[in-house]
């Protein structure tokens, strides 16, 4: 569980590296004081940054931990609810927790582990058929 002042990506990255978790599924709910979400620009192969500068509910946060370049890497998508009930969502780049973020990590069976795909630079599920 993360608390006010924690930045979700940094805190979770630190946690999975410390615990040596290189494959896991992740879900969370809670709230952010502000966040930055990304939209993957296919041509640039990079994320367009979309700042969300208001208190939002973390309605749904789903992601995974995969190994990339020998280290555990996080990939998280977020659906964020605004005060008027509208939602914004995208690839989570920054989430500044206030007051809490309840995170559940689930470790999957080995055959669903992800590997970084050299073409897209994204971590994709690599079904090992050997
Ligand atoms: Zn993404």
């Amino acid at each position: 569980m993360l608390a006010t002042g924690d930045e979700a990506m940094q805190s979770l990255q630190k946690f999975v590296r410390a615990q040596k978790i290189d494959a896991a599924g992740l879900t969370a709910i809670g709230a952010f004081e502000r966040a930055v979400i990304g939209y993957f620009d296919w041509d640039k192969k990079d994320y367009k940054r979309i700042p969300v500068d208001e208190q939002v509910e973390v309605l749904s946060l789903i992601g995974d931990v995969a190994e990339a370049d020998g280290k555990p890497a996080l990939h998280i998508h977020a659906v964020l609810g605004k005060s008027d009930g509208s939602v914004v969502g995208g690839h989570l780049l920054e989430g500044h927790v206030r007051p809490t973020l309840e995170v559940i990590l689930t470790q999957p069976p080995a055959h669903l582990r992800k590997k970084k795909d050299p073409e897209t630079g994204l971590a994709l599920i690599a079904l090992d058929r050997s």
Side-chain angles (χ1 to χ4, degrees):
M1 192 171 87
L2 305 183
T4 300
D6 289 334
E7 196 284 302
M9 291 303 288
Q10 273 181 12
S11 302
L12 291 170
Q13 196 77 257
K14 212 186 279 180
F15 179 81
V16 295
R17 286 189 181 164
Q19 300 295 317
K20 298 188 169 35
I21 296 170
D22 61 358
L26 177 157
T27 58
I29 56 170
F32 291 147
E33 176 187 4
R34 62 193 163 86
V36 181
I37 52 177
Y39 174 81
F40 192 73
D41 185 322
W42 184 252
D43 295 326
K44 293 181 183 161
K45 300 281 188 284
D46 198 7
Y47 291 97
K48 176 187 163 191
R49 288 174 69 88
I50 303 162
V52 180
D53 288 320
E54 60 187 86
Q55 177 80 22
V56 286
E57 296 281 323
V58 179
L59 301 176
S60 174
L61 198 130
I62 298 180
D64 53 44
V65 181
E67 194 200 299
D69 305 323
K71 281 180 277 182
L74 284 167
H75 184 193
I76 299 176
H77 286 181
V79 179
L80 306 175
K82 296 184 169 193
S83 61
D84 65 357
S86 66
V87 299
V88 288
H91 178 97
L92 188 67
L93 295 172
E94 287 174 32
H96 299 268
V97 174
R98 184 172 71 182
T100 188
L101 186 69
E102 298 169 347
V103 182
I104 296 174
L105 277 172
T106 314
Q107 295 193 265
H111 68 281
L112 287 179
R113 291 184 176 217
K114 292 186 155 196
K115 289 198 177 116
K116 195 165 181 180
D117 174 47
E119 191 202 335
T120 59
L122 301 174
L124 304 175
I125 288 177
L127 287 176
D128 187 355
R129 295 172 191 281
S130 62

